[in-house]
Structures are given as C-alpha cells and as structure tokens.
C-alpha cells in the first residue's frame, strides 16, 4: 500500500494509522465504505468543502500527483471523491498524496486517501429554475439548425463591420424592429423593412402548436457569441416587449446565469438546438446574462441527467465554449407594461434595464401632462392591478358616511365619484345610486355585485349638470397630484349637484392623530412626527405603512396578496406580521397620495363658486367636508 | 347599463354643448326581473330627463308625463321595466353632437376621454 519497502518508518506508520482512523470515521458517520483493494476512485478525507477546503485548493494539490478525471466535493462534507483514469493512476496518486499536508487559509490540513468501490452521494435537491422559465431540448433538428444559421447574412448588417471583427463584442442583427442599445428600447414607429426571415416560420409555428406562445412574435434579435464573449446581466425592457420571450440556441452550448434581486443565482445550461421560454418572474424580475468565458462548468452528461440541471453536485466537468448563435423572438408591446414587478418595470418607474434597481422615484408634477402620467402609473395602473385584493380589504362602510347617506330622502339620486368596489352603493336602498371609478377592474366588481357603475375620470364626470341630489367622494381627491386637479375634482362634484344638493368629501389627513385620538391606521407604539418635510428636491419618497406622515406628497406601498383575504380595513396596508411572512417575491405597488393638512380641504372647497362648506370634521385619519350647492 | 343610468349620462367631449341623450347602439341586451316598487318608481320619475327616456325606450312612452302618474300602476310598471329591467350589456353610446362612441362592455360603459378630447 505504501511504497515497496517491507519496513515502514515511524512516520509512515503514523500516516497509516490515521488513514485507517479516517476510513472508520467515514464509514461510521458518512456511510462510506473504503476498500484496501485499489480502484479508480479515491476518497480524500479532510479534503472537503465542509472543512473549508476549496475546490481550487484541492485540485492544485491533486494535480501535482496525477491527472484527475473528476472531482466531486459534496457540499458541507469533510471529504471529496476523486476519480482517476486508471487504477494505476489512482495507486500512484494515493502513494504520493496520502498524508499530504495542504495549506488552507491559516490551517494546515492533512489529507488521507483511501480507495472506494463507488462514489456515493446524496441525491440533492436541485436548485429550481426561476419561476416561469422553461427549457425545451432538441427543439430543432440539426438540419433545421443549419438552415437557420445559413439564413443570417452577417455581411449585409447595417452595423459597423470593423466592430464585429474586433471580436471584443458579440455580433448582433435585428429583424422586424430595431432594438436600440442607447435606451434599451425598440423604435416602435420604425419597423425594419425586412420582417422576420421566412426560415424562422416553421420554428415559430412549432412554438405556437406546442402552446409555448400564443401570439406570433414580430421582432427577432440574432446574437452570435464566440468563446470568451457574453452579455451582461439584464432584464429585457418591460415596455418594449410583451411577456413571453423565446430564445433558440444554435451551435455550441453555453451557461446562462439567472440572478434574483435577493442574490440567488441559478446557472442554466442551454444546449445547442434547445429553446428557452421566459415568462413571469424569469422574464420580468430575474436578470439573465452570459459571463464572457472560454470554459463553463457543466455536469458530466449522462443520458438521464437533464443537462440544464447544474443545481445538483454530480460530476462536473469543464466544457469548452464554441460559437453559439441565439435567435430571440419577441412581440413588440404597444401598451405600457402593467406587470406585478414594478421594481424592474420601466412603465412603472424603474430606472434601468440592466439591474433590478428599486424604482427611480418620480417627482412632483409641474404640469398637467406630467400629472396625468404620474397618476396613470401610481394610481390607475396600481388599482387595476390590485383590484381584487383591494376590494377584499374594503368591506366595512364607514359609519359617518353611512350616516350621511341615511339622511338623504328616499328616491334621492346619489353619485359616488370614485366608488371603488361599490362599498357605499348599496348602503341606502331607498336611493337611486350610480357609481363611477377610473379603474375598470373595480367597476367590474361593482357591476358583479349588482350595482350600476361606469368607468370615467373624476375630472370629467359624464353626468348631466345638476342631475344629482347628492354625491360622495370618499378617499379619491388625495390621488390627484396638483392643487389645480384637486380643485377641478371638487368643481365637478359641485357641477353635478342640483341646487341645495350636498356633497360629502373624504381625503386622507396628514395628521393621523387628532384630539389625542390615534387613527386605526397608525401602529400603537409609533411616536407622532408632525414635522412636515417640504424636501430639498421634489422627489417623492416612499412612506412606511402605518406610521405618521412626514411629507404631504408621497408614495404609499401596497403589498399584494390574493384577494378574498381579511386584511386591514382602513387602507389595506399590512401589519408588520404580514410583512414578515410574505416572501421576497411578493410584488409591492406604490400609490401616489397628497395627504391634506388641517384646513386644506376647506380652503380648497372655498375656491369653488356657488358652494359652501356646511360641515367640516376629522374622521379616522381623514379630513371631511360636507358641501352644499347654492 | 340600465336605462336609468343612461338617463343621467352625458358626453363630455370638448366643444360639445349638449351631450345627451347619448344614442344607444346595443348589440346585446338583457331583461332582468326586478322587484316592482311603485313608490320607488314614482319618486324616480321627476328626477328623469323625460324626453331622453322617451328617445331611449323602444316602447312607446307618452311624450309628456301623464297627470297622476303616481297612481297609474300600468304606467309605473312600464317605466319600471324600461328603467330598471332592461340592461344593455354590449354595444356603445354615441355622442349626439360629436359622434364619438363610448363602448359598453359587460354592462359597463367606458366614458373615458382621450387627452385631446377632454
């Protein structure tokens, strides 16, 4: 076993003793059987990830002796398995390395090698692919692959030919629409003369038939990567393309890395002739990229193991990169993106496509157009997305509002401008009620409940002048982002009232505590912060739910959950407990609010001719007025 | 959309002086059964734009309100049916002056205006 001498030195005896001890430990604690008979496989005790030895460190020691065919280092274990090309090679390695010291960090580790009959390892839970990601192997045949590759005429590309030849950059060609790298978006108004190459049609038809896509893509980007080329991690611009993105890999395989904002990394092997389908999180939230490398670590392919499965620690080998060409098919998006991932969504305020940075905060608008855009992104888009969850948290009508409604004479015509889920439309059945809201999703809920409602803007209510006996606007006007728009909203309420008609308006109060009474919105132990920060810049800050306000214009988070849950009444904003249990992947929406200071609502209404404030009060964190038309 | 709601609606397209009654172009109409409450209906009548209702209703309603309509049960039932039982599920509402069409989908009229129409 050790050397050819018959007599062993003291040192050699010591090594043998320790080696045997190590073997016993392996058997007893790890269930690994060693054998005195030479085999190709060797277990290296003390050479494991579990005792702080890195793969690089171990490999450098091992390769000093014999060439290693494969090295398997089970995570968290204090040993590793080495396979050699031949039994002879293993013998030589064992002779040379047994008792070898290895310097790892500050520790000096002694390696003990023993033969094993088989390399055993636990079947590990493989790292799941990002949500929405599907890989279909062998999607095209080698013949089809050849046809597709031949269809690309690189020389006729508009791009600078010298830039291509420098090999610093991968080659790119676009069809259908030009993708611009200066703003990571598409020139939707300038379709390219040539559409998608005809050769792509069979592949696309196959995608539709397999149910992988439902709409035919109208944009194609062909990327050609030589060994050593890659593409930095990025999220495909939400506003440029519809959800589903399909990418066909031709030529050599590569490893694409998906990164989640929370730091998780999932490497995915993309074999040649495979099709990658990105939807949901994998499309909107995870970044994807290809590290510029000449070699990738890929599993030693066995016929049964999925090539994409880099998560398990099977025998990994190095795969030399070859030229890979990808065909990425996308459908141009013409409406703004309203996905559930605002942090990476440029339609919803996110900054760059190249990193999932937190939303670039919007500024307070200085003109009507900006205001419309702000409200579209931070009010209307959000309510449409959260409608069902929002509705489930708005189930109890506020008593004071009900009181107002109950005092109205039977047969009164009531308009609820900004009716939301119709919470107040049925409170007094003696009334003729109609609701309107900006959110189609919320209006649908009203109609489902049997109420009459329509979709409209509170700044232009399509009701006849003086057609209503009364109207209510509960938690609506605080969503308008300029004083002019807030005033216009009050004017509309006044216009639709008949003479002597009354309007009830509720808006969120800056002062959440009034007359020593804390509103239900605030958490018990939070101290009051009455300081109003006007801010040195006009950027809107994100509010911390259930705390006092420190600025009047802000974004209030909404943590989306499934509808039908019993949530908090006042605003649906979660308690800390809910926040803890919700995972990283729950989308958060930001709604714009202008919270009113004491007296501000009255002052606003005072600017409207033909109407007077007959009552003004504070109710559960809201400033309220009752107006009467002359 | 019930005809009661339609009676209150008007077009708000910029430049329009009288945007009602909106012309109803229905492609799908449903008739529901709603409990008849004569008092409720008779209270409703004075609030209505009567001529708009006459125009919208396909049945013939008198051009002018009859006297003592409150006690005319047959009349009230007719009004009840028109106002509360007939429902336009699909179609559109057309502005009488500008011709602009507002779609009705799943019973919901969408009265939103574009930037240039507001």
């Amino acid at each position: 076993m050790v050397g050819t001498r018959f007599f062993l030195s003291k040192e050699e005896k010591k090594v043998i003793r320790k080696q045997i001890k190590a073997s016993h430990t392996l058997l007893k604690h790890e269930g690994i059987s060693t054998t005195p008979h030479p085999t190709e496989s060797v277990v290296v005790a003390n050479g494991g990830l579990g005792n702080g030895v890195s793969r690089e460190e171990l490999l450098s020691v091992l390769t000093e002796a014999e060439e290693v065919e494969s090295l398997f280092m089970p995570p968290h274990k204090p040993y590793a398995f080495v396979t050699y090309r031949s039994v002879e090679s293993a013998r030589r390695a064992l002779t040379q390395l047994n008792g070898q010291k290895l310097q790892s960090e500050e520790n000096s580790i002694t390696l003990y090698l023993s033969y094993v009959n088989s390399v055993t390892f636990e079947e590990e839970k493989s790292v799941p692919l990002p949500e929405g990601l599907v890989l279909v192997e062998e999607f095209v045949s080698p013949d089809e692959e050849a046809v597709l590759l031949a269809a690309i005429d690189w020389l006729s590309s508009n791009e600078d030919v010298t830039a291509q030849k420098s090999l610093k950059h991968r080659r790119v060609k676009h069809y259908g629409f030009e993708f611009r790298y200066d703003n990571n978006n598409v020139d939707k108004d300038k379709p390219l003369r040539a559409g998608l190459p005809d050769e792509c049609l069979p592949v696309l038809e196959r995608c539709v038939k397999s149910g992988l896509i439902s709409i035919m893509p109208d944009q194609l980007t062909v990327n050609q990567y030589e060994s050593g080329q890659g593409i930095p991690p990025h999220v495909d611009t939400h506003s440029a393309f519809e959800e589903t993105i399909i990418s066909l890999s031709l030529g050599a395989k590569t490893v694409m890395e998906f990164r989640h904002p929370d730091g998780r990394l999932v490497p995915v092997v993309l074999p040649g002739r495979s099709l990658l389908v990105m939807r949901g999180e994998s499309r909107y939230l995870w970044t994807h990229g290809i590290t510029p490398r000449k070699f990738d670590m890929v599993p030693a392919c066995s016929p049964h193991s999925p090539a994409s499965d880099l998560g398990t620690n099977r025998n990994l080998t190095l795969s030399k990169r070859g030229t890979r060409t990808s065909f990425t098919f996308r459908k141009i998006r013409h409406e703004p993106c309203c996905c559930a991932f605002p942090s990476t969504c440029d339609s919803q305020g996110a900054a760059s496509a190249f990193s999932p940075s937190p939303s670039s905060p919007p500024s307070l608008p200085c003109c009507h157009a900006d205001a419309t855009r702000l409200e579209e992104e931070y009010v209307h888009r959000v309510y449409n997305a959260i409608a069902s969850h929002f509705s489930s948290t708005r189930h109890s009508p506020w008593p004071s509002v009900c009181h107002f409604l109950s005092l109205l004479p039977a047969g009164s015509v009531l308009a609820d401008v900004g009716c939301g889920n119709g919470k107040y439309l049925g409170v007094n059945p003696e009334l003729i009620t109609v609701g309107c809201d900006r959110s189609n999703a919320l209006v649908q809920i009203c109609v489902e409940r049997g109420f009459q409602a329509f979709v409209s803007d509170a700044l232009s209510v399509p009701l006849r002048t003086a057609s209503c006996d009364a109207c209510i606007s509960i938690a609506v006007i605080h969503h308008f982002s300029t004083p002019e728009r807030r005033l216009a909203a009050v004017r509309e309420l006044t216009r639709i009232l008949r003479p002597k008609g009354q309007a009830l308006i509720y808006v969120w109060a800056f002062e959440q505590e009034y007359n020593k009474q804390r509103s239900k919105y605030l958490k018990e132990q939070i101290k009051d912060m009455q300081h109003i920060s006007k801010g040195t810049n006009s950027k809107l800050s994100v509010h911390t739910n259930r705390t006092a306000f420190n600025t009047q214009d802000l974004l209030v988070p909404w943590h989306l959950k499934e509808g039908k849950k019993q949530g908090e009444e006042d605003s649906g904003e979660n308690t800390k407990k809910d926040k803890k249990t919700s995972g990283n992947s729950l989308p958060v929406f930001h709604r714009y609010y202008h919270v009113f200071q004491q007296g501000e609502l009255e002052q606003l209404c005072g600017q409207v001719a033909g109407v007077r404030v007959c009552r003004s009060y504070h109710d559960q964190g809201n400033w309220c007025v009752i107006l009467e038309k002359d | 959309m019930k005809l009661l709601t339609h009676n209150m609606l008007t077009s708000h397209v910029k430049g329009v002086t009288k945007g009602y009654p909106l012309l109803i172009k229905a492609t799908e109409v449903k008739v529901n059964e709603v409990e008849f409450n004569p008092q409720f209906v008779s209270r409703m009548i004075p609030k209505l734009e009567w001529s708009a209702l006459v125009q919208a209703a396909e049945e013939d309603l008198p051009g002018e309100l009859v006297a003592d309509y409150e006690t005319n049960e047959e009349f009230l039932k007719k009004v009840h049916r028109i106002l509360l039982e007939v429902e336009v599920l699909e179609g559109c509402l057309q502005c009488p002056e500008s011709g602009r069409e507002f779609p009705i989908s799943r019973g919901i009229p969408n009265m939103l205006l574009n930037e240039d129409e507001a």
Side-chain angles (χ1 to χ4, degrees):
Chain A
M1 198 153 52
V2 230
T4 53
R5 282 178 283 116
F6 285 99
F7 297 104
L8 301 168
S9 70
K10 226 177 171 180
E11 191 53 45
E12 282 162 333
K13 280 186 192 167
K14 186 176 166 192
V15 167
I16 289 168
R17 257 201 326 274
K18 291 214 165 179
Q19 180 202 333
I20 291 169
K21 188 171 175 206
S23 294
H24 282 157
T25 308
L26 282 171
L27 179 63
K28 188 172 164 193
H29 293 287
E30 309 285 348
I32 294 167
S33 305
T34 57
T35 170
H37 299 290
T39 66
E40 286 157 0
S41 305
V42 165
V43 63
V44 182
N46 297 339
L49 296 169
N51 64 306
V53 177
S54 76
R55 195 179 178 87
E56 289 70 35
E57 286 166 334
L58 187 61
L59 265 173
S60 76
V61 170
L62 293 172
T63 47
E64 271 169 28
E66 289 287 312
E67 198 183 326
V68 165
E69 187 183 68
S70 75
L71 170 63
F72 172 60
M73 298 185 80
H76 316 300
K77 298 294 184 187
Y79 55 83
F81 294 105
V82 189
T83 313
Y84 293 97
R85 283 185 204 277
S86 65
V87 178
E88 267 310 304
S89 178
R91 282 176 81 159
R92 287 195 294 273
L94 200 133
T95 309
Q96 192 173 335
L97 296 172
N98 201 16
Q100 175 95 326
K101 289 215 195 323
L102 176 148
Q103 202 68 22
S104 170
E105 311 267 323
E106 267 132 44
N107 307 319
S108 181
I109 290 167
T110 311
L111 304 172
Y112 296 104
L113 281 67
S114 304
Y115 300 110
V116 287
N117 275 322
S118 55
V119 175
T120 54
F121 48 86
E122 294 163 357
E123 198 51 63
E124 286 190 12
K125 196 164 61 96
S126 53
V127 175
L129 292 178
E131 185 268 313
L133 193 70
V134 172
L135 182 71
V136 186
E137 298 192 33
E138 309 267 347
F139 197 75
V140 294
S141 69
D143 286 342
E144 288 171 325
E145 178 184 48
V147 166
L148 286 163
L149 288 171
I152 309 303
D153 183 4
W154 289 105
L155 293 175
S156 75
S157 166
N158 296 336
E159 284 138 328
D160 184 12
V161 176
T162 50
Q164 307 302 320
K165 283 192 174 157
S166 76
L167 286 183
K168 269 207 297 206
H169 217 280
R170 67 187 194 281
R171 287 207 288 194
V172 184
K173 201 167 154 94
H174 301 286
Y175 296 84
F177 290 83
E178 185 82 50
F179 184 81
R180 292 170 47 168
Y181 291 95
D182 56 346
N183 63 356
N184 286 315
N185 215 314
V186 170
D187 235 322
K188 297 180 192 181
D189 303 317
K190 298 205 202 96
L192 296 169
R193 218 166 9 97
L196 270 52
D198 291 332
E199 291 88 342
C200 300
L201 272 175
V203 174
L204 294 177
E205 275 161 12
R206 192 174 304 157
C207 291
V208 173
K209 268 218 187 87
S210 329
L212 296 167
I213 54 172
S214 47
I215 314 168
M216 282 297 268
D218 56 7
Q219 197 270 342
L220 165 66
T221 297
V222 182
N223 279 293
Q224 193 176 72
Y225 302 82
E226 302 289 345
S227 168
Q229 294 179 333
I231 182 169
H234 63 282
V235 176
D236 282 25
T237 305
H238 292 210
S239 67
F241 310 108
E242 293 288 351
E243 179 171 12
T244 310
I245 294 175
I246 52 177
S247 192
L248 184 66
S249 294
L250 302 175
K253 70 162 145 267
T254 193
V255 173
M256 178 169 278
E257 285 162 343
F258 284 81
R259 287 177 174 81
H260 190 276
D262 68 13
R264 275 177 286 160
L265 182 118
V266 179
V268 180
V269 177
L270 304 181
R273 298 185 287 111
S274 70
L275 184 80
L276 187 71
V277 185
M278 296 195 289
R279 261 200 201 97
E281 275 194 26
S282 69
R283 157 40 180 140
Y284 285 127
L285 184 67
W286 296 68
T287 64
H288 57 274
I290 296 175
T291 308
R293 283 198 289 242
K294 300 209 166 145
F295 291 89
D296 289 305
M297 292 275 269
V298 300
C301 282
S302 72
H304 306 293
S305 76
S308 59
D309 200 2
L310 273 176
T312 59
N313 288 295
R314 311 255 176 91
N315 290 337
L316 295 173
T317 98
L318 293 174
S319 162
K320 188 169 179 192
R321 283 212 192 155
T323 304
R324 170 183 175 263
T325 307
S326 72
F327 280 57
T328 302
F329 297 95
R330 301 178 279 207
K331 173 79 186 73
I332 299 294
R333 187 191 285 266
H334 297 285
E335 300 293 314
C337 179
C338 51
C339 66
F341 308 99
S343 66
T344 48
C345 184
D346 63 313
S347 292
Q348 298 178 62
S352 135
F354 269 70
S355 58
S357 53
S359 302
S360 152
S363 312
L364 208 54
C366 51
C367 66
H368 173 74
D370 281 352
T372 310
R373 258 193 298 272
L374 175 80
E375 290 159 21
E376 177 61 42
E377 287 172 24
Y378 292 94
V379 179
H380 309 312
R381 199 79 54 73
V382 177
Y383 278 111
N384 273 327
I386 69 177
S388 114
H389 178 212
F390 177 80
S391 176
S392 68
T393 64
R394 268 37 182 185
H395 41 79
S396 319
W398 282 334
S400 299
V401 180
C402 294
H403 180 69
F404 174 86
L405 296 172
S406 68
L407 292 178
L408 297 172
S412 295
V413 175
L414 171 82
D416 184 346
V417 181
C419 59
N421 66 345
K423 186 162 86 163
Y424 295 108
L425 297 178
V427 164
N428 185 343
E430 304 271 305
L431 308 176
I432 300 163
T433 343
V434 72
C436 63
D437 201 276
R438 186 61 172 70
S439 163
N440 200 323
L442 287 172
V443 170
Q444 278 198 42
I445 294 173
C446 295
V447 170
E448 277 162 28
R449 293 181 171 173
F451 301 126
Q452 286 289 285
F454 53 89
V455 178
S456 76
D457 199 306
L459 297 180
S460 182
V461 180
L463 293 174
R464 286 185 285 106
T465 301
S467 57
C468 304
D469 295 301
C471 58
I472 60 175
S473 163
I474 311 300
V476 178
I477 295 180
H478 53 210
H479 282 311
F480 288 109
S481 54
T482 69
E484 295 79 20
R485 290 163 81 81
R486 295 189 280 271
L487 182 61
V490 179
R491 288 212 166 101
E492 274 296 274
L493 291 173
T494 317
R495 181 188 63 79
I496 62 179
L497 284 177
R498 59 141 174 88
K500 298 294 178 218
Q502 290 196 330
L504 173 67
I505 305 176
Y506 265 56
V507 291
W508 229 359
F510 175 81
E511 302 87 347
Q512 283 296 304
E513 189 177 307
Y514 188 67
N515 280 342
K516 307 264 193 282
Q517 287 207 307
R518 306 177 69 81
S519 81
K520 284 190 190 137
Y521 175 72
L522 291 176
K523 277 196 267 212
E524 264 72 38
Q525 57 271 40
I526 300 296
K527 285 207 303 282
D528 221 13
M529 279 159 58
Q530 287 296 326
H531 168 70
I532 303 169
S533 112
K534 289 286 179 205
T536 45
N537 57 20
S538 55
K539 291 279 180 197
L540 293 170
S541 54
V542 177
H543 174 64
T544 305
N545 281 336
R546 302 182 66 74
T547 63
F549 296 116
N550 60 4
T551 171
Q552 281 193 271
D553 294 281
L554 61 156
L555 299 172
V556 178
W558 179 279
H559 295 263
L560 186 68
K561 291 182 173 183
E562 295 299 313
K564 313 263 187 278
K565 248 187 114 159
Q566 288 291 313
E568 288 301 320
E569 172 47 40
D570 284 10
S571 38
E573 280 76 20
N574 301 32
T575 59
K576 202 168 162 190
K577 177 170 86 92
D578 290 336
K579 266 194 189 173
K580 270 193 191 148
T581 57
S582 66
N584 280 329
S585 51
L586 267 188
V588 179
F589 293 89
H590 290 138
R591 286 171 303 162
Y592 166 80
Y593 281 85
H594 168 88
V595 295
F596 282 67
Q597 282 188 70
Q598 182 166 16
E600 188 184 335
L601 182 59
E602 286 177 60
Q603 198 234 17
L604 185 71
C605 295
Q607 293 173 59
V608 180
V611 90
R612 67 176 185 94
V613 176
C614 45
R615 221 195 124 201
S616 156
Y617 59 96
H618 183 105
D619 179 22
Q620 273 307 311
N622 296 282
W623 288 119
C624 322
V625 294
I626 297 179
L627 303 178
E628 190 176 290
K629 188 160 173 178
D630 295 343
Chain B
M1 181 203 70
K2 296 185 180 177
L3 294 190
L4 175 59
T5 306
H6 165 262
N7 197 262
M8 296 173 64
L9 288 173
T10 179
S11 155
H12 252 194
V13 174
K14 193 161 65 177
V16 165
T17 47
K18 184 169 177 265
Y20 66 92
L22 292 152
L23 191 66
I24 303 174
K25 292 177 167 179
T27 54
E28 194 184 322
V29 176
K30 191 169 73 156
V31 181
N32 308 302
E33 218 182 278
V34 177
E35 199 183 312
F36 174 59
N37 183 332
Q39 265 187 319
F40 189 64
V41 179
S42 65
R43 278 197 210 110
M44 224 184 277
I45 290 173
K47 316 269 181 177
L48 302 167
E49 256 285 320
W50 187 255
S51 53
L53 184 66
V54 172
Q55 211 172 316
E58 267 156 28
E59 357 227 313
D60 42 346
L61 281 173
E64 299 270 323
L65 272 174
V66 297
D68 301 327
Y69 61 79
E70 301 99 320
T71 48
N72 189 332
E73 180 142 319
E74 200 192 302
F75 175 75
L76 289 177
K77 271 202 176 135
K78 207 172 185 182
V79 173
H80 165 88
R81 187 173 183 276
I82 294 167
L83 282 179
L84 300 175
E85 293 192 331
V86 175
E87 207 178 338
V88 179
L89 292 180
E90 302 287 330
C92 70
L93 297 170
Q94 189 175 39
C95 171
E97 279 187 20
S98 69
R100 207 296 203 179
E101 289 186 350
F102 299 93
I104 303 174
S105 171
R106 294 161 75 166
I108 300 169
N110 186 332
M111 309 299 294
L112 284 176
L113 296 169
N114 301 323
E115 286 271 323
D116 48 328
E117 292 174 308

